[in-house]
Every structure is written in structure tokens, then in C-alpha cells.
């Protein structure tokens, strides 16, 4: 079998792993301190001891809350196939109480082979749910309610949550409510009558540690030695993979990526792009594959727009950022011009433009959507007096200034951007600054004449 065919099979295998949550989160579930072990213990003890329980899974999107919950439910359905009924609701679809009760009734009827009536009223569905919880409790069956986007159920009158948790106070009922939310204050959204019936158990899903990331990379990217792939190819592939994982440049790439996107879901997306970039001719992963994946994911459109700005437009962006850092959140073109003049007074250079030229540059930034108006009101006002704000983040502006070839030296200075330098002597920058005067004139010359 040729090297390209082996590489294509390896690529398909690793891609299928990346799309399989059970394969990904299984190695992270071995520890007794993992969220998988804790959640499984809580639900299984509720099943064995025939008691009611409620718990919240909290964490940022992509941290694996739903994946771990589904992994636990699938394992429990294998262990207790005849004693568990799972009801799944999503706040994006069922936050309205009537639709939620109707969906619960439909799933209960499907699970217990009953006839479901689409014409049943809200009260009928509510009473049916309470009656089914009572019957399941008498039959020693546990009903598990998985409520995704739990915070959306906490809006409005919260009749679903109250009815559900109130029914669980009965001795005959046997149910577990598992809420999943990306809001850490989801339990604080509950009304007093609902909160008093909630168990207040919470599991927090944090970004994976460096050790977890290393273990996850080895688990996903290593080829099995007992598969249909050639033994020699799998051994060589794993050997080259270990050398990449031990490389300091690779660790720096992973560290840079996780600094911006630290969730497991984003890491899997990064690995999928890296695997897709693997050259089939060579048959193995390389460091360049991960570099290409990082550059393709971390593209910043706003940062690329900054590279095409004129020097005057850079001045305006820096002035606005300095105003925001000084907590002046409400400003207009006139405020920006005052800041621009104060910068010129502190650092007298040859690149000082008239106000009408600055206004044209200001309008150009509005057209490119690097800045925008704070509200849609005030259309009758002149542009100079309408409140504006920056659409560019601090990191994007700083990186854009660094990558700008003819940027004046003091503009991309971190202390200057943080508004710590204003009245300070400009001798730190002046000897080098005049080297850029010719480039400044050519870069901003299309905007108009300079002010003498």
C-alpha cells in the first residue's frame, strides 16, 4: 500500500475521532475528580437510592458540558436500561412554558408507548407530567430532565421549573434535573420559590490544563498499532508526532492559541484544520501544518484593515483609544481633535494636519467600520458632534500598529497607547522619528495639504 493511501486512511481516522465526543472526553473521565465522575456519581446515587436531585453544569461555550452529560447518560442507560427515562429540552426551543410541557408530554408518551394528544391544553400536559412522575416513582424508575440553555428557562414566570421542582418534593416521585448553562449566575436568576426547591449543586467546567491538553493531543493524534494501517507506518507516525509534541515551537503555538481560545471545542477545531493541512505525499504531520492552522484561525479582519490606514487615520484611532483608557466613554470628533492637538504639542512633528483633512480621515474610518456611532439617533446632527466609539479592540490596534511599516515610533509604544505619556519630554522619540517624515508625507498625502 502506498504512502499516500496510508496517509489518507490516517487522516480519515483522526478526523472521525475529532467528530466523536465520546472518544475525546473518555480519557479526561478517568480521574475521580473529573466532572464526568462527579456527575455520574450524583445521578447514579439518585437512581440507586431512589431520591430526587438537581444540579447545574456551568462553563463557557465549547467547554464540553453537553458532551460530558451525554457521555454520562449513555453509560447510565447501559447500566440501568429499564430504570431510566431521559427527557431532553433546549431553552432555545422550549423556553415558553406551553411548548415545554407539550414536549415533555410527547417524550414521555413515546418512551412509555402511550398515545400523545397534540390538542391537549397546558393544564392537561402539566397534570400528565406530575402523574407520570408519580407512576414512575412507584415503579422505581428515574426520570432525568436534561435542560440545555437553562438560563432561558429562568426567564418569565418560571412555571416549568416551579412545577417540575415542586413535583420532585413528593415522596413518590423520583427525578433528576440537570441544567446546562454558559452563565455562571444561572442559579441567581431563579425566583425565590424555585430557588428554595433547588438542590444548589453546581459543577464548573474550566478550560483544560496543560497536562490535560498534552494527554488529549496524544490520545487524538496517535495512531493505534493494532488497526488496519501498516504497523511500521503507525510506529513511524507516532514517533514523529512525539517529536512534534516535545518541540518548544509547537508548545508555543498551542500556548498562543489557548491564550485566545482555551475551550476544548476550539482546540478540536484547531486540530481538525491542522490534520486537513497534512501533506499526503509525505504521509506525516509536520510543524508547518500547525502553524498554517494557527494563522488561518487567528485572522483578524480589523487588524488587516489597520494596515491599509493612512498615518493620520492611525493618529485618530490612537487618540480614541487613549480617550477610552482614560474612561472617557462619551466623545466625538471635537474631543478627538483636542487629544490630537495635545499629542502634537507634546511630540511636535511635521505630520500635523488641518481640521478639514482630519474630518475626511474620520469619515473614512466610519466607512471602513473601524469606528461607529454609539447610537442611531442624531441623524440631523453634524458628524463632528455625534458620539462615536472604537470597534477595534486594544490587542488588534496594538498588533496593527506594530505591523505598520511607516508607523511613527511613539504611536506603537505601549505606555503612550495606555495614555501614560502626554506631558513627558519627547526626546525619547524625536531622534528616530524624523527618519519617518518622508514616509509620513507620502502615506497621508492623499488626504490633503499639511498645516504649517
Amino acid at each position: 500500500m502506498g504512502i499516500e493511501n496510508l496517509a489518507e486512511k490516517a487522516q480519515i481516522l483522526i478526523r472521525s475521532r475529532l467528530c466523536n465526543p465520546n472518544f475525546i472526553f473518555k480519557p479526561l473521565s478517568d480521574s475521580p475528580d473529573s466532572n464526568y465522575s462527579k456527575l455520574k456519581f450524583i445521578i447514579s446515587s439518585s437512581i440507586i437510592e431512589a431520591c430526587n436531585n438537581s444540579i447545574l453544569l456551568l462553563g463557557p461555550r465549547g467547554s464540553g458540558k453537553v458532551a460530558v452529560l451525554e457521555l454520562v447518560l449513555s453509560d447510565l442507560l447501559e447500566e440501568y436500561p429499564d430504570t431510566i427515562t431521559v427527557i431532553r429540552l433546549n431553552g432555545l426551543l422550549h423556553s415558553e412554558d406551553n411548548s415545554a410541557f407539550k414536549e415533555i408530554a410527547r417524550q414521555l408518551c413515546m418512551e412509555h408507548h402511550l398515545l400523545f394528544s397534540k390538542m391537549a391544553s397546558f393544564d392537561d400536559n402539566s397534570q400528565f407530567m406530575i402523574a407520570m412522575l408519580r407512576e414512575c416513582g412507584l415503579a422505581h424508575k428515574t426520570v432525568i430532565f436534561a435542560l440545555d440553555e437553562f438560563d432561558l428557562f429562568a426567564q418569565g414566570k418560571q412555571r416549568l421549573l416551579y412545577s417540575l421542582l415542586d413535583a420532585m418534593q413528593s415522596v413518590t416521585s423520583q427525578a433528576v434535573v440537570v441544567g446546562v448553562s454558559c452563565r455562571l449566575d444561572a442559579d441567581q436568576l431563579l425566583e425565590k420559590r424555585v430557588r428554595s426547591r433547588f438542590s444548589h449543586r453546581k459543577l464548573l467546567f474550566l478550560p483544560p490544563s496543560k497536562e490535560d491538553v498534552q494527554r488529549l493531543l496524544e490520545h487524538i493524534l496517535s495512531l493505534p498499532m493494532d488497526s488496519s494501517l501498516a504497523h511500521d507506518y503507525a510506529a513511524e507516525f507516532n514517533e514523529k508526532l512525539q517529536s512534534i509534541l516535545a518541540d518548544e515551537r509547537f508548545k508555543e503555538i498551542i500556548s498562543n492559541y489557548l491564550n485566545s481560545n482555551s475551550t476544548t471545542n476550539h482546540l478540536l477545531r484547531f486540530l481538525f484544520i491542522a490534520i486537513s493541512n497534512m501533506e499526503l505525499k509525505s504521509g506525516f504531520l509536520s510543524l508547518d501544518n500547525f502553524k498554517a492552522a494557527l494563522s488561518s484561525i487567528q485572522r483578524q479582519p480589523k487588524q488587516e484593515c489597520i494596515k491599509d490606514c493612512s498615518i493620520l487615520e492611525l493618529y485618530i484611532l490612537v487618540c480614541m483609544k487613549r480617550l477610552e483608557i482614560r474612561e472617557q466613554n462619551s466623545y466625538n470628533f471635537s474631543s478627538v481633535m483636542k487629544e490630537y492637538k495635545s499629542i502634537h504639542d507634546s511630540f511636535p512633528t511635521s505630520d500635523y494636519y488641518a481640521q478639514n483633512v482630519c474630518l475626511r480621515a474620520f469619515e473614512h474610518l466610519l466607512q471602513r467600520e473601524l469606528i461607529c456611532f454609539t447610537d442611531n439617533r442624531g441623524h440631523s446632527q453634524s458628524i463632528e458632534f455625534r458620539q462615536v466609539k472604537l470597534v477595534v479592540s486594544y490587542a488588534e490596534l496594538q498588533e496593527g500598529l506594530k505591523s505598520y511599516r511607516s508607523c511613527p515610533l511613539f504611536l506603537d509604544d505601549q505606555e503612550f497607547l495606555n495614555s501614560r505619556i502626554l506631558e513627558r519630554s519627547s526626546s525619547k522619540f524625536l531622534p528616530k522619528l524624523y527618519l519617518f517624515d518622508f514616509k509620513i508625507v507620502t502615506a497621508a498625502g492623499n488626504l490633503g495639504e499639511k498645516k504649517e
Side-chain angles (χ1 to χ4, degrees):
M1 187 181 293
I3 188 70
E4 291 190 15
N5 292 334
L6 290 172
E8 188 175 358
K9 279 191 173 184
Q11 195 178 52
I12 293 172
L13 174 63
I14 298 176
R15 279 175 174 172
S16 63
R17 288 176 173 179
L18 290 169
C19 298
N20 184 4
N22 290 345
F23 180 86
I24 292 163
F25 288 96
K26 202 64 177 177
L28 300 178
S29 308
D30 298 335
S31 171
D33 295 328
S34 65
N35 286 329
Y36 167 85
S37 301
K38 294 177 182 177
L39 181 61
K40 187 175 181 180
F41 173 77
I42 291 172
I43 299 179
S44 60
S45 61
S46 301
I47 297 170
I48 296 171
E49 298 172 7
C51 61
N52 299 310
N53 225 328
S54 54
I55 185 171
L56 282 178
L57 310 183
L58 306 177
R61 296 190 186 279
S63 56
K65 303 182 295 296
V66 176
V68 170
L69 175 59
E70 291 297 331
L71 186 60
V72 169
L73 292 178
S74 62
D75 290 348
L76 291 176
L77 285 171
E78 291 180 2
E79 294 180 21
Y80 310 100
D82 300 326
T83 58
I84 293 180
T85 299
V86 180
I87 305 297
R88 293 178 173 87
L89 298 178
N90 192 302
L92 295 173
L93 300 174
H94 312 115
S95 59
E96 201 270 321
D97 292 325
N98 190 21
S99 63
F101 278 112
K102 183 175 290 188
E103 179 63 18
I104 291 174
R106 187 190 68 81
Q107 293 188 33
L108 285 173
C109 289
M110 183 182 296
E111 184 71 23
H112 295 88
H113 308 288
L114 300 174
L115 184 62
F116 171 66
S117 173
K118 294 182 180 180
M119 303 303 294
S121 65
F122 173 85
D123 293 333
D124 292 337
N125 289 327
S126 175
Q127 293 174 6
F128 174 75
M129 181 193 74
I130 296 173
M132 285 299 297
L133 286 177
R134 188 187 308 113
E135 292 298 325
C136 289
L138 294 174
H140 301 290
K141 289 186 177 181
T142 301
V143 182
I144 301 175
F145 293 89
L147 307 181
D148 198 4
E149 304 291 346
F150 180 83
D151 51 289
L152 298 181
F153 289 101
Q155 297 177 357
K157 297 182 179 180
Q158 304 181 10
R159 284 184 293 181
L160 170 68
L161 295 178
Y162 176 75
S163 301
L164 193 56
L165 294 173
D166 188 60
M168 290 167 57
Q169 303 302 311
S170 172
V171 180
T172 56
S173 66
Q174 190 173 336
V176 178
V177 175
V178 183
V180 180
S181 176
C182 60
R183 291 191 56 169
L184 300 181
D185 62 340
D187 58 328
Q188 301 301 318
L189 302 175
L190 301 176
E191 294 179 356
K192 186 177 180 181
R193 59 173 185 164
V194 179
R195 195 182 306 139
S196 63
R197 290 165 170 77
F198 195 74
S199 300
H200 294 283
R201 289 184 176 88
K202 292 186 282 187
L203 287 181
L204 187 61
F205 284 72
L206 299 173
S209 62
K210 290 184 178 179
E211 293 77 13
D212 290 337
V213 170
Q214 184 73 14
R215 199 162 74 244
L216 194 62
L217 291 173
E218 293 179 1
H219 175 68
I220 294 174
L221 300 178
S222 297
L223 295 181
M225 303 301 294
D226 55 350
S227 64
S228 59
L229 296 170
H231 184 274
D232 295 339
Y233 172 76
E236 188 177 357
F237 186 96
N238 293 338
E239 184 180 350
K240 290 182 179 294
L241 174 64
Q242 290 298 327
S243 64
I244 292 175
L245 296 180
D247 196 328
E248 291 298 327
R249 293 173 295 174
F250 175 79
K251 292 180 180 179
E252 185 178 356
I253 291 173
I254 293 294
S255 178
N256 290 337
Y257 182 70
L258 292 179
N259 285 338
S260 57
N261 299 295
S262 57
T263 59
T264 307
N265 193 29
H266 283 100
L267 178 62
L268 299 178
R269 178 172 168 239
F270 168 73
L271 294 177
F272 194 94
I273 297 175
I275 294 300
S276 301
N277 291 334
M278 186 176 75
E279 292 185 6
L280 299 181
K281 290 183 179 180
S282 65
F284 302 102
L285 284 170
S286 65
L287 195 62
D288 293 334
N289 301 144
F290 296 96
K291 288 181 179 178
L294 182 64
S295 61
S296 65
I297 285 180
Q298 289 190 335
R299 285 184 67 251
Q300 301 289 347
K302 298 294 183 185
Q303 186 176 323
E304 293 175 3
C305 286
I306 294 174
K307 296 179 183 178
D308 299 329
C309 289
S310 65
I311 295 294
L312 178 56
E313 291 167 352
L314 292 184
Y315 270 101
I316 294 175
L317 292 175
V318 170
C319 289
M320 294 176 69
K321 177 54 67 176
R322 284 167 60 88
L323 290 173
E324 288 187 359
I325 289 175
R326 293 208 297 270
E327 298 184 357
Q328 186 174 340
N329 296 324
S330 177
Y331 55 86
N332 53 22
F333 175 74
S334 301
S335 306
V336 175
M337 284 297 98
K338 289 180 183 178
E339 181 70 18
Y340 177 58
K341 187 178 184 304
S342 67
I343 290 176
H344 179 71
D345 292 341
S346 301
F347 303 96
T349 63
S350 58
D351 51 322
Y352 187 63
Y353 298 89
Q355 186 163 343
N356 62 335
V357 179
C358 295
L359 181 58
R360 288 169 59 186
F362 188 78
E363 292 172 347
H364 190 220
L365 290 174
L366 283 169
Q367 292 172 0
R368 303 190 68 176
E369 298 183 355
L370 292 174
I371 63 176
C372 68
F373 296 114
T374 54
D375 53 43
N376 294 324
R377 295 174 295 179
H379 291 286
S380 58
Q381 284 185 330
S382 178
I383 292 179
E384 295 99 313
F385 305 107
R386 292 186 64 181
Q387 303 295 320
V388 293
K389 64 179 180 180
L390 264 177
V391 187
V392 185
S393 67
Y394 178 83
E396 288 174 334
L397 180 58
Q398 195 171 22
E399 290 299 321
L401 292 173
K402 286 181 180 180
S403 59
Y404 199 98
R405 289 185 178 181
S406 55
C407 177
L409 292 183
F410 65 89
L411 280 187
D412 64 349
D413 185 88
Q414 189 171 1
E415 288 187 2
F416 179 82
L417 198 57
N418 286 334
S419 196
R420 296 173 187 165
I421 303 175
L422 189 58
E423 301 298 334
R424 190 181 299 180
S425 171
S426 58
S427 59
K428 174 182 175 182
F429 302 102
L430 282 179
K432 297 181 181 179
L433 182 61
Y434 286 111
L435 296 176
F436 292 93
D437 279 355
F438 177 74
K439 293 182 180 179
I440 291 172
V441 173
T442 55
N446 59 336
L447 293 172
E449 297 298 329
K450 291 190 177 184
K451 188 175 180 180
E452 296 296 336

